[in-house]
Amino acid sequence: MTQLTSSKVTVLGGGSFGTAIANIAAMNHHQVTLWMRSEKQANDILHNRQNSRYLPGYILLDNLAPSLDLKAAVCEADYVFVAVPSKAFRAVVEETIQYLPANARLISLTKGIEPHSFKLMSQILHDLAPAHEVGVISGPNLAKEIADNQISATVIASYSQPLRQEVQQMLSCPSFRVYGNPDIYGVEMAGALKNIYAIITGLAAALGMAENTRGAIITRSLAEMSRFAVRLGANPMTFLGLAGVGDLIVTCSSQLSRNYRVGYYIGEGLTLKQAIKKIGETAEGINTLRMVNEKAEEMGIYMPLVKGLYAIIYQDMPVKEIAGRLMSGDLAEDVEFMSAGM
């Protein structure tokens, strides 16, 4: 593996995870530009070296420069990381591609599914920028812990082995380990689906369910999400790695998870609108839930946890009535995907 020299890195989106990744690249001596639309946020980073809105209390390095000018931010970039919410992803990429250098590599940091098309973010990148190499970062990545230099790990998925290796070198440091995986679809689908189950476990915690119950919900969530993704073409083994079970456990257990907190507040009696307002950031699992429920019904995929949560969120069914049904589906095998001969 050849050593990656200092590169020009651009991160699109000034949220917590994008900022954390930008700061790691800066720490590894790359020239980093963090693009955002908010002038107030850019001035905060420029003058106070903090993203006080999304990552307060963490100092950003001097070689990380904020920018409000999209063209200037990407026109010389070697790598462009896209870290905007899924609902804005296509529009931002469409606006960006006209300014991209021919050799720029595109990496998504966004976990979600596009409404109507049911496309993942990497598929949008492939569609809009077919001449560019594409990758996805996903895993148990709570931004505040990464910014605090807590030991963390993630996955870079891409069909391109050189791109995987380049991103591994760019972002690896003593507190942040980057692993590679060629199953870009499985890695990205896992990252989108786990948000649904984080809402469920947050809801269960608010209702005072026991640890055994929560353990069962998380385990059955893994079976359900992998069953769905494999039907759509993912490798089942991906779900045993960081992007699958690793991300699922963290997101379903931590109050730092936006989706977990949405579920918790709904379990306490707040409406969906009130819960989202209280969090103040996008909880991707809400929109993903609706799309996955529709796709599962269309394809005849058995997903009782998704179906139950959908009834609570979108059909105004009583939380306590549905919560008791979440684990009451058909009896099934514990492990659905076994290697031949086992």
Side-chain angles (χ1 to χ4, degrees), residues 42-59:
N43 285 333
D44 184 32
I45 294 173
L46 187 63
H47 299 295
N48 303 319
R49 303 314 304 168
Q50 285 193 56
N51 185 346
S52 300
R53 180 177 179 184
Y54 292 114
L55 212 56
Y58 298 98
I59 300 300

Side-chain angles (χ1 to χ4, degrees), residues 138-158:
S138 189
N141 300 145
L142 298 173
K144 291 180 181 177
E145 292 189 358
I146 294 172
D148 199 30
N149 294 320
Q150 298 291 333
I151 294 175
S152 305
T154 196
V155 177
I156 171 64
S158 176

Side-chain angles (χ1 to χ4, degrees), residues 54-92:
Y54 292 114
L55 212 56
Y58 298 98
I59 300 300
L60 305 179
L61 297 175
D62 289 340
N63 54 321
L64 189 164
S67 175
L68 298 170
D69 186 331
L70 182 60
K71 180 179 179 179
V74 303
C75 68
E76 296 182 355
D78 300 306
Y79 301 87
V80 176
F81 292 82
V82 188
V84 298
S86 60
K87 64 183 180 182
F89 195 94
R90 180 180 289 274
V92 170

Side-chain angles (χ1 to χ4, degrees), residues 113 118 185 189 193 196-197 220-234 239 289-308 310 329-330 332 336-337:
I113 301 171
F118 206 80
Y185 188 83
M189 183 61 78
L193 291 174
I196 297 172
Y197 303 103
R220 296 316 302 164
S221 295
L222 181 63
E224 187 168 296
M225 63 192 275
S226 58
R227 179 192 311 132
F228 179 83
V230 168
R231 279 285 299 274
L232 271 68
F239 290 80
L289 169 66
R290 177 177 51 79
M291 291 182 280
V292 169
N293 183 70
E294 291 175 0
K295 180 65 73 170
E297 289 188 348
E298 174 190 322
M299 298 183 66
I301 304 172
Y302 180 57
M303 302 187 78
L305 294 174
V306 163
K307 190 178 181 68
Y310 184 87
D330 294 345
E336 299 186 25
F337 304 106

Side-chain angles (χ1 to χ4, degrees), residues 266-279:
I266 291 172
E268 287 189 318
L270 269 62
T271 65
L272 174 61
K273 187 175 181 179
Q274 289 170 332
I276 293 173
K277 183 178 180 180
K278 190 169 183 178
I279 290 171

